[in-house]
Amino acid sequence: MWLFYTLFGNFIGSFFSIFNKKIDNPSSLNSLFFMIFIQYVFCIIVCIILYPGFILNISIINLLKVLPVFITGKLGFICYVKAVENGDVSKILPITKLNVLIPIIGGIVFFNEKLTFLQIMLGVIILILGYLLSKKVVDDKTGNIKSLIFALLFSLLNGITQLLKKYFIVDFSDSFFFQFNISIVALIVLSLFFLLSPKISFNKLKNIPQKKYLLLAALSDIICVLMVNYAMITGELSIITIISAGSIMVSLLLSRIILKEKITFSQYIMIILLITSILILSLVS
């Protein structure tokens, strides 16, 4: 079942960049606050409905444990929003898929995950295809260097976050309990930020434009996170990460259909090869 959760979660997550592109200023302080708040309130509601006993098991030690994951995760989230805001989705997404390198290496080194020769070869093919798709960013002289920098920062921070997540999910033995603790930390940090920052207020949050797309973007991202986290309980981090990298094909196709961004013939060919590689990898894993 971990394979289903990985594939379906990444499919839902692919819509995040599309919804994000529909927002005029997604990286504004109030927009980011709104999205992150919605994400973690949703998490807490889901966790309490499924596991009401979580409320009785809140502890300072557990909250401190997951604090580094929250920090790296949200810094990466902000970098991703900035990257998509400043560049074309079809050009930026391939760069963000470089985030797979840290979890793959970490899964093998720290969690003793073993890959077969076929899995390694398919992983290499997927990474090469991702690189070739991303090469357009470097070749296109009109590309925004700022978006490239943010995309690379996201890849680094998100890769570290995925590695930390795997460790703590194994440590907690429950992905939902892990996410519940992350959500509690998030609400504490957001509450302090709300009280101390003069730039955020009820009126400003109330008057944020395009709340519909902010809400959809937040939910698509957090649903993906919940499902992939659940997959990490029984699935190998290195394989989950490689398969997750393939979500770029869905985002690219959505950017063509919804945002009307251009996709070249060679990109279509690479997307087909990417789909084929992921399907084979899924069947042999």
Side-chain angles (χ1 to χ4, degrees), residues 90-107:
S90 56
K91 297 177 182 178
I92 293 306
L93 281 176
I95 293 294
T96 64
K97 293 310 172 183
L98 293 173
N99 66 337
V100 302
L101 296 176
I102 294 175
I104 290 174
I105 296 170

Side-chain angles (χ1 to χ4, degrees), residues 142-183:
T142 62
N144 192 322
I145 188 66
K146 185 188 292 185
S147 64
L148 179 60
I149 292 171
F150 278 119
L152 290 171
L153 283 173
F154 163 79
S155 297
L156 174 63
L157 290 165
N158 184 262
I160 294 171
T161 301
Q162 296 306 315
L163 194 58
L164 290 173
K165 274 185 180 181
K166 175 69 176 182
Y167 173 78
F168 285 114
I169 287 173
V170 171
D171 183 51
F172 281 95
S173 301
D174 190 325
S175 67
F176 280 98
F177 187 54
F178 163 79
Q179 195 63 48
F180 179 74
N181 279 279
I182 285 272
S183 302

Side-chain angles (χ1 to χ4, degrees), residues 33-135:
F33 185 94
F34 180 81
M35 280 197 287
I36 295 172
F37 178 78
I38 290 295
Q39 286 180 331
Y40 289 110
V41 168
F42 176 80
C43 276
I44 288 177
I45 292 172
V46 170
C47 290
I48 290 176
I49 290 174
L50 294 176
Y51 307 98
F54 282 176
I55 299 176
L56 302 175
N57 293 317
I58 297 175
S59 72
I60 299 296
I61 294 175
N62 286 337
L63 296 180
L64 290 175
K65 274 185 179 181
V66 301
L67 182 59
V69 187
F70 169 74
I71 293 172
T72 57
K74 287 307 108 183
L75 286 177
F77 176 81
I78 292 169
C79 288
Y80 186 88
V81 172
K82 294 287 289 183
V84 174
E85 179 187 16
N86 288 283
D88 290 341
V89 172
S90 56
K91 297 177 182 178
I92 293 306
L93 281 176
I95 293 294
T96 64
K97 293 310 172 183
L98 293 173
N99 66 337
V100 302
L101 296 176
I102 294 175
I104 290 174
I105 296 170
I108 296 171
V109 174
F110 297 111
F111 300 106
N112 297 317
E113 296 178 355
K114 300 186 185 303
L115 302 179
T116 65
F117 178 75
L118 179 58
Q119 288 173 327
I120 293 172
M121 290 304 298
L122 288 169
V124 170
I125 291 171
I126 291 171
L127 292 176
I128 290 174
L129 289 171
Y131 166 77
L132 292 175
L133 283 169
S134 69
K135 195 172 183 294

Side-chain angles (χ1 to χ4, degrees), residues 2-3 6 113 166 230-240:
W2 67 266
L3 181 57
T6 302
E113 296 178 355
K166 175 69 176 182
Y230 191 72
M232 285 186 187
I233 297 175
T234 55
E236 294 188 349
L237 177 62
S238 50
I239 299 297
I240 290 172

